[in-house]
Structures are given as C-alpha cells and as structure tokens.
Amino acid sequence: MAVLNVNFFSNALFRIVPVTVVLPTDKVLPGEQTYQSPRLYKTLYLLHGLRGNNTAWVNGTRIQALANERNLCVVMPSGDNKFYADSSRSADYYGKFLTEDLIAFAENSFPLSRRREDRFIAGLSMGGFGALTNGLRHPELYSHIAALSSALIKERILRAKEGPLTDQDYAANDYFNRAAYETMFDLDSIQDFENSECDYEFLARRVAKRPDKPEIFLCCGTEDSLLGYNRAYRDLLTGLGYSLRYEESAGDHTWAYWDYAIERVLDWLPLEDRRAGITSEEPHC
C-alpha cells in the first residue's frame, strides 16, 4: 500500500490543497514475483473531524493496513473546520471541492473505477456530517455512506439562535458561536439551516424515494456525547426505508473507537475478500 501526500489546485477553493492517498499498487501477492496486474480500484473518500487534516486517519488508525488487505484506494482531503459545506459568504466551497474537484483529480490521476457502485464516502464527527450531507446531496456519485460518531448538531445550531451556547455544548466538542454557524453554513440566519443543503434530515427525506439512494452505515460509541443525535438520525432513516446498518459499542469520541469502527465499515462495504501481500507498509527484517 503506497501512501502518497500530494497537492493539487482546487478550482472550488481557488487554492492548492493537500490530499493523502493510500493506494495498493505496490502489493506483491504470495507466490508472485511482480506487482499485481493493473486494475481499477474501488475508492473510499474519507473525511477527518474537527481540528484534523488529511493525515489524521493515517496517523490515528490502521486504515492503511485495512485498505491494503481489501485492495481499496482511500482518498483523504483536508476540510479545515468547515463541515465540508459550501459558503459563498466566506468563499469556502468545500462541498463542491469534494464532489467535483477531488473526484476528478483522483480519477484522472490514479487507476480508479469511475462506477458509482465502486465509489464510497465516509467520515468521523465533523467528517460524518460531511459524508452524510454530501453523499445525500449527490446520490448519483456515491453508492455507500458511512458516518462515525457524527456531529449531527442541527439541534445545537438551531439553539444558537436563542443566544450563546452553553458549557455543555462546548464539552461536546462544539467550538462555534452563532456568527460562525451562519458563515460556515451560508445562512442569513440560524433559522435558515432547516431545509437547507446542509440539513441532513431534509436531505434524507428528499432522497428517500429515489431508487438510487445510498446505503448507509451509522455508528457511535456508547460513552459519546453525540450518541443521542445519532440514535435520532437512525430512527429517521429507518422510518424512511433506507438500507441502514447501525451499530453501537463501548467507546467515546476517540481514535481508539474510530480505529475499531473503520474496520467495521470496511467489512460492511462491498469489497474483495482479504488477501495479504508484501507491500511498503510491511515491517522489514
């Protein structure tokens, strides 16, 4: 599994952006003397959480080894702290960056399948929010969405219209005030969040009757302060008839939990059977 740290120009963000890609092209299978034959890989676009960047998943989990076993390409962009949302007010078009620039760059640069059924999106916390909103906005692009410990903070955003956020909000990893929410989500007022392109409940209802609606995996640790929000979204998706896998297990809002959860996600995705090989990630004698 080769790990590539690359930079390319994003037209949506109008600047050069960093991306980390893990790609199983250097894998030599048992009994073979050369790299496996050229092929088109399935791809997971994997989003980090608040205060992270494109290296977060590689540094915090076994994603490199897990993807290598399954011949999966993983593309990890930097989303800053913008919830992967479009905002003309701040000139940050992170949704457009994900669904236009990033996919085009990856599929033009690497041997990746361009089929919807081979393209997936996932993320943790803020990245879970981004995976759900962008995946549901563009069901024609992604066949599967996975959201881990998702920051499904619609209730908190709407509560911000009443005044300053509480100590409990800050304890739940929410560091934004009302003005930040309005700028980040391109809102004229907090009330405008409902039924917007960032309202994951609205998006779920809009897509529910489409024959190509994505399959969804939701999970959250039982000690996570975001658990209640994730349970509520589980209930909404179930009621709307989505093909949903929902899991809870012991854990908090930590890398220890996400390392466990991302393996569960890869087991759920329609990937190849595991097959170990010799790669750049293997320990050397």
Side-chain angles (χ1 to χ4, degrees):
M1 175 68 72
V3 179
L4 310 174
N5 290 298
V6 298
N7 296 280
F8 77 98
F9 178 76
S10 164
N11 192 48
L13 297 176
F14 204 64
R15 60 179 179 271
I16 295 172
V17 295
V19 178
T20 296
V21 180
V22 293
L23 195 65
T25 50
D26 71 340
K27 183 176 180 179
V28 178
L29 296 175
E32 298 183 6
Q33 301 301 315
T34 61
Y35 298 140
Q36 56 187 323
S37 301
R39 54 181 305 149
L40 297 180
Y41 296 101
K42 298 181 180 183
T43 310
L44 174 64
Y45 292 86
L46 188 57
L47 312 182
H48 65 77
L50 194 69
R51 303 185 302 279
N53 66 10
N54 55 294
T55 67
W57 275 100
V58 170
N59 292 332
T61 71
R62 297 166 294 137
I63 187 61
Q64 180 183 351
L66 295 171
N68 175 64
E69 288 181 337
R70 297 160 175 82
N71 284 328
L72 174 70
C73 175
V74 184
V75 178
M76 293 162 283
S78 270
D80 299 319
N81 290 332
K82 298 296 185 176
F83 277 77
Y84 304 94
D86 289 330
S87 175
S88 60
R89 299 178 67 185
S90 62
D92 292 315
Y93 297 95
Y94 281 91
K96 187 175 182 180
F97 159 65
L98 282 180
T99 56
E100 295 183 16
D101 296 352
L102 185 62
I103 290 177
F105 168 76
E107 293 182 354
N108 288 335
S109 302
F110 307 111
L112 306 181
S113 171
R114 296 172 183 252
R115 302 191 309 167
R116 171 187 178 269
E117 55 265 39
D118 294 337
R119 195 185 295 123
F120 323 119
I121 188 168
L124 68 87
S125 194
M126 180 186 79
F129 178 103
L132 287 165
T133 53
N134 287 286
L136 290 171
R137 284 174 63 190
H138 296 281
E140 75 282 2
L141 294 178
Y142 309 101
S143 62
H144 292 68
I145 302 170
L148 291 61
S149 312
S150 299
L152 303 178
I153 56 174
K154 176 179 178 178
E155 175 187 323
R156 199 177 302 164
I157 293 170
L158 296 178
R159 194 163 68 246
K161 69 184 178 183
E162 307 297 335
L165 298 173
T166 67
D167 290 343
Q168 181 181 5
D169 293 320
Y170 287 104
N173 293 322
D174 186 350
Y175 295 92
F176 299 108
N177 57 26
R178 175 177 178 149
Y181 279 133
E182 290 177 344
T183 300
M184 185 181 308
F185 297 116
D186 201 22
L187 308 175
D188 291 327
S189 68
I190 290 296
Q191 292 92 322
D192 293 338
F193 183 89
E194 291 190 281
N195 302 323
S196 75
E197 292 297 298
C198 290
D199 182 348
Y200 44 86
E201 295 178 350
F202 164 73
L203 293 171
R205 294 187 181 96
R206 187 172 73 181
V207 175
K209 295 189 182 301
R210 288 184 56 148
D212 63 344
K213 61 180 178 292
E215 297 185 35
I216 298 179
F217 182 108
L218 291 182
C219 65
C220 195
T222 52
E223 286 72 54
D224 196 317
S225 61
L226 296 171
L227 179 61
Y229 300 128
N230 283 267
R231 286 175 172 172
Y233 199 55
R234 170 202 62 191
D235 294 343
L236 174 67
L237 294 175
T238 300
L240 290 171
Y242 277 83
S243 175
L244 174 69
R245 169 82 64 85
Y246 179 80
E247 295 187 1
E248 291 179 12
S249 59
D252 207 332
H253 212 70
T254 65
W255 282 112
Y257 175 75
W258 299 321
D259 182 62
Y260 161 80
I262 194 61
E263 183 171 15
R264 297 290 298 162
V265 169
L266 297 194
D267 287 342
W268 167 75
L269 289 173
L271 302 176
E272 296 181 3
D273 293 336
R274 301 182 190 184
R275 194 172 182 190
I278 301 172
T279 75
S280 57
E281 74 176 75
E282 299 294 329
H284 301 285
C285 298

Tab-separated table of all heavy atoms in Angstrom, residues 33-56:
chain	number	residue	atom	x	y	z
A	33	GLN	N	6.071	-12.745	-8.280
A	33	GLN	CA	7.345	-12.039	-8.248
A	33	GLN	C	7.214	-10.574	-8.641
A	33	GLN	O	8.156	-9.809	-8.501
A	33	GLN	CB	8.336	-12.732	-9.201
A	33	GLN	CG	8.588	-14.193	-8.863
A	33	GLN	CD	9.133	-14.371	-7.459
A	33	GLN	OE1	10.033	-13.637	-7.031
A	33	GLN	NE2	8.592	-15.336	-6.732
A	34	THR	N	6.063	-10.183	-9.129
A	34	THR	CA	5.865	-8.807	-9.571
A	34	THR	C	4.593	-8.250	-8.957
A	34	THR	O	3.793	-8.962	-8.353
A	34	THR	CB	5.761	-8.735	-11.102
A	34	THR	OG1	4.632	-9.519	-11.521
A	34	THR	CG2	7.020	-9.284	-11.761
A	35	TYR	N	4.394	-6.946	-9.132
A	35	TYR	CA	3.168	-6.310	-8.666
A	35	TYR	C	1.966	-6.953	-9.347
A	35	TYR	O	2.053	-7.457	-10.464
A	35	TYR	CB	3.163	-4.811	-8.974
A	35	TYR	CG	4.265	-4.029	-8.293
A	35	TYR	CD1	4.934	-3.015	-8.964
A	35	TYR	CD2	4.630	-4.304	-6.980
A	35	TYR	CE1	5.930	-2.293	-8.344
A	35	TYR	CE2	5.632	-3.594	-6.354
A	35	TYR	CZ	6.283	-2.585	-7.034
A	35	TYR	OH	7.275	-1.871	-6.429
A	36	GLN	N	0.824	-6.901	-8.639
A	36	GLN	CA	-0.377	-7.453	-9.238
A	36	GLN	C	-0.732	-6.674	-10.501
A	36	GLN	O	-0.307	-5.541	-10.692
A	36	GLN	CB	-1.530	-7.414	-8.244
A	36	GLN	CG	-1.831	-6.030	-7.690
A	36	GLN	CD	-2.873	-6.105	-6.600
A	36	GLN	OE1	-3.799	-6.882	-6.672
A	36	GLN	NE2	-2.725	-5.288	-5.579
A	37	SER	N	-1.491	-7.295	-11.370
A	37	SER	CA	-1.823	-6.702	-12.664
A	37	SER	C	-2.550	-5.374	-12.484
A	37	SER	O	-3.278	-5.175	-11.502
A	37	SER	CB	-2.708	-7.658	-13.460
A	37	SER	OG	-2.054	-8.889	-13.665
A	38	PRO	N	-2.365	-4.434	-13.428
A	38	PRO	CA	-3.094	-3.167	-13.356
A	38	PRO	C	-4.594	-3.415	-13.274
A	38	PRO	O	-5.130	-4.314	-13.908
A	38	PRO	CB	-2.709	-2.476	-14.667
A	38	PRO	CG	-1.416	-3.095	-15.054
A	38	PRO	CD	-1.493	-4.519	-14.584
A	39	ARG	N	-5.279	-2.572	-12.514
A	39	ARG	CA	-6.702	-2.750	-12.296
A	39	ARG	C	-7.297	-1.420	-11.901
A	39	ARG	O	-6.578	-0.470	-11.624
A	39	ARG	CB	-6.941	-3.778	-11.187
A	39	ARG	CG	-6.195	-3.420	-9.906
A	39	ARG	CD	-6.399	-4.423	-8.818
A	39	ARG	NE	-7.808	-4.596	-8.576
A	39	ARG	CZ	-8.334	-5.744	-8.154
A	39	ARG	NH1	-7.546	-6.772	-7.923
A	39	ARG	NH2	-9.606	-5.854	-7.933
A	40	LEU	N	-8.600	-1.358	-11.873
A	40	LEU	CA	-9.286	-0.169	-11.411
A	40	LEU	C	-9.798	-0.434	-10.000
A	40	LEU	O	-10.564	-1.374	-9.784
A	40	LEU	CB	-10.437	0.185	-12.354
A	40	LEU	CG	-10.031	0.535	-13.793
A	40	LEU	CD1	-11.267	0.862	-14.619
A	40	LEU	CD2	-9.051	1.696	-13.813
A	41	TYR	N	-9.377	0.387	-9.060
A	41	TYR	CA	-9.686	0.168	-7.652
A	41	TYR	C	-10.981	0.859	-7.243
A	41	TYR	O	-11.322	1.942	-7.737
A	41	TYR	CB	-8.539	0.680	-6.781
A	41	TYR	CG	-7.255	-0.070	-6.983
A	41	TYR	CD1	-6.247	0.464	-7.780
A	41	TYR	CD2	-7.039	-1.311	-6.400
A	41	TYR	CE1	-5.070	-0.225	-7.988
A	41	TYR	CE2	-5.874	-2.006	-6.602
A	41	TYR	CZ	-4.884	-1.452	-7.404
A	41	TYR	OH	-3.723	-2.143	-7.617
A	42	LYS	N	-11.671	0.245	-6.306
A	42	LYS	CA	-12.764	0.925	-5.624
A	42	LYS	C	-12.172	1.984	-4.696
A	42	LYS	O	-11.035	1.855	-4.243
A	42	LYS	CB	-13.595	-0.077	-4.823
A	42	LYS	CG	-14.257	-1.136	-5.696
A	42	LYS	CD	-15.102	-2.102	-4.882
A	42	LYS	CE	-15.739	-3.156	-5.791
A	42	LYS	NZ	-16.635	-4.064	-5.042
A	43	THR	N	-12.962	3.040	-4.419
A	43	THR	CA	-12.410	4.195	-3.715
A	43	THR	C	-13.301	4.631	-2.568
A	43	THR	O	-14.520	4.742	-2.716
A	43	THR	CB	-12.245	5.389	-4.674
A	43	THR	OG1	-11.551	4.963	-5.842
A	43	THR	CG2	-11.469	6.512	-3.999
A	44	LEU	N	-12.666	4.885	-1.434
A	44	LEU	CA	-13.331	5.468	-0.269
A	44	LEU	C	-12.788	6.875	-0.056
A	44	LEU	O	-11.588	7.061	0.143
A	44	LEU	CB	-13.074	4.622	0.979
A	44	LEU	CG	-13.584	5.197	2.303
A	44	LEU	CD1	-15.109	5.297	2.302
A	44	LEU	CD2	-13.099	4.353	3.490
A	45	TYR	N	-13.667	7.862	-0.115
A	45	TYR	CA	-13.309	9.238	0.223
A	45	TYR	C	-13.570	9.398	1.718
A	45	TYR	O	-14.711	9.306	2.168
A	45	TYR	CB	-14.121	10.221	-0.623
A	45	TYR	CG	-13.718	10.136	-2.086
A	45	TYR	CD1	-14.308	9.200	-2.936
A	45	TYR	CD2	-12.716	10.946	-2.591
A	45	TYR	CE1	-13.904	9.087	-4.262
A	45	TYR	CE2	-12.310	10.846	-3.919
A	45	TYR	CZ	-12.904	9.917	-4.735
A	45	TYR	OH	-12.485	9.797	-6.049
A	46	LEU	N	-12.496	9.610	2.478
A	46	LEU	CA	-12.557	9.506	3.934
A	46	LEU	C	-12.241	10.860	4.561
A	46	LEU	O	-11.154	11.424	4.351
A	46	LEU	CB	-11.552	8.447	4.397
A	46	LEU	CG	-11.582	8.035	5.858
A	46	LEU	CD1	-12.960	7.524	6.270
A	46	LEU	CD2	-10.520	6.968	6.129
A	47	LEU	N	-13.187	11.381	5.352
A	47	LEU	CA	-13.132	12.750	5.860
A	47	LEU	C	-12.765	12.776	7.343
A	47	LEU	O	-13.285	12.001	8.136
A	47	LEU	CB	-14.488	13.429	5.657
A	47	LEU	CG	-15.112	13.291	4.259
A	47	LEU	CD1	-16.429	14.054	4.200
A	47	LEU	CD2	-14.153	13.756	3.167
A	48	HIS	N	-11.893	13.702	7.705
A	48	HIS	CA	-11.463	13.867	9.101
A	48	HIS	C	-12.471	14.697	9.888
A	48	HIS	O	-13.431	15.254	9.343
A	48	HIS	CB	-10.073	14.506	9.156
A	48	HIS	CG	-10.036	15.914	8.616
A	48	HIS	ND1	-10.490	17.010	9.329
A	48	HIS	CD2	-9.586	16.409	7.433
A	48	HIS	CE1	-10.330	18.108	8.624
A	48	HIS	NE2	-9.787	17.775	7.462
A	49	GLY	N	-12.224	14.808	11.182
A	49	GLY	CA	-13.077	15.584	12.066
A	49	GLY	C	-12.509	16.959	12.362
A	49	GLY	O	-11.514	17.404	11.779
A	50	LEU	N	-13.150	17.641	13.292
A	50	LEU	CA	-12.756	18.991	13.687
A	50	LEU	C	-11.301	19.022	14.144
A	50	LEU	O	-10.847	18.124	14.855
A	50	LEU	CB	-13.668	19.460	14.828
A	50	LEU	CG	-13.654	20.948	15.170
A	50	LEU	CD1	-14.278	21.758	14.044
A	50	LEU	CD2	-14.409	21.183	16.478
A	51	ARG	N	-10.580	20.010	13.701
A	51	ARG	CA	-9.176	20.256	14.051
A	51	ARG	C	-8.225	19.247	13.401
A	51	ARG	O	-7.046	19.230	13.721
A	51	ARG	CB	-8.956	20.272	15.572
A	51	ARG	CG	-9.817	21.287	16.308
A	51	ARG	CD	-9.472	21.357	17.799
A	51	ARG	NE	-9.609	20.094	18.468
A	51	ARG	CZ	-10.762	19.592	18.902
A	51	ARG	NH1	-11.888	20.255	18.721
A	51	ARG	NH2	-10.800	18.428	19.514
A	52	GLY	N	-8.729	18.420	12.480
A	52	GLY	CA	-7.876	17.458	11.805
A	52	GLY	C	-7.402	17.962	10.458
A	52	GLY	O	-7.646	19.102	10.063
A	53	ASN	N	-6.724	17.081	9.729
A	53	ASN	CA	-6.331	17.375	8.356
A	53	ASN	C	-6.230	16.075	7.570
A	53	ASN	O	-6.674	15.017	8.036
A	53	ASN	CB	-5.024	18.177	8.314
A	53	ASN	CG	-3.823	17.399	8.813
A	53	ASN	OD1	-3.879	16.188	9.032
A	53	ASN	ND2	-2.710	18.080	9.003
A	54	ASN	N	-5.632	16.133	6.396
A	54	ASN	CA	-5.588	14.973	5.511
A	54	ASN	C	-4.761	13.817	6.053
A	54	ASN	O	-4.871	12.691	5.568
A	54	ASN	CB	-5.046	15.384	4.137
A	54	ASN	CG	-3.697	16.081	4.222
A	54	ASN	OD1	-3.615	17.179	4.776
A	54	ASN	ND2	-2.660	15.486	3.678
A	55	THR	N	-3.938	14.065	7.059
A	55	THR	CA	-3.114	12.983	7.619
A	55	THR	C	-3.751	12.315	8.837
A	55	THR	O	-3.203	11.348	9.370
A	55	THR	CB	-1.736	13.525	8.039
A	55	THR	OG1	-1.888	14.426	9.154
A	55	THR	CG2	-1.054	14.254	6.889
A	56	ALA	N	-4.884	12.812	9.288
A	56	ALA	CA	-5.438	12.369	10.572
A	56	ALA	C	-5.744	10.878	10.589
A	56	ALA	O	-5.407	10.172	11.552
A	56	ALA	CB	-6.697	13.175	10.895
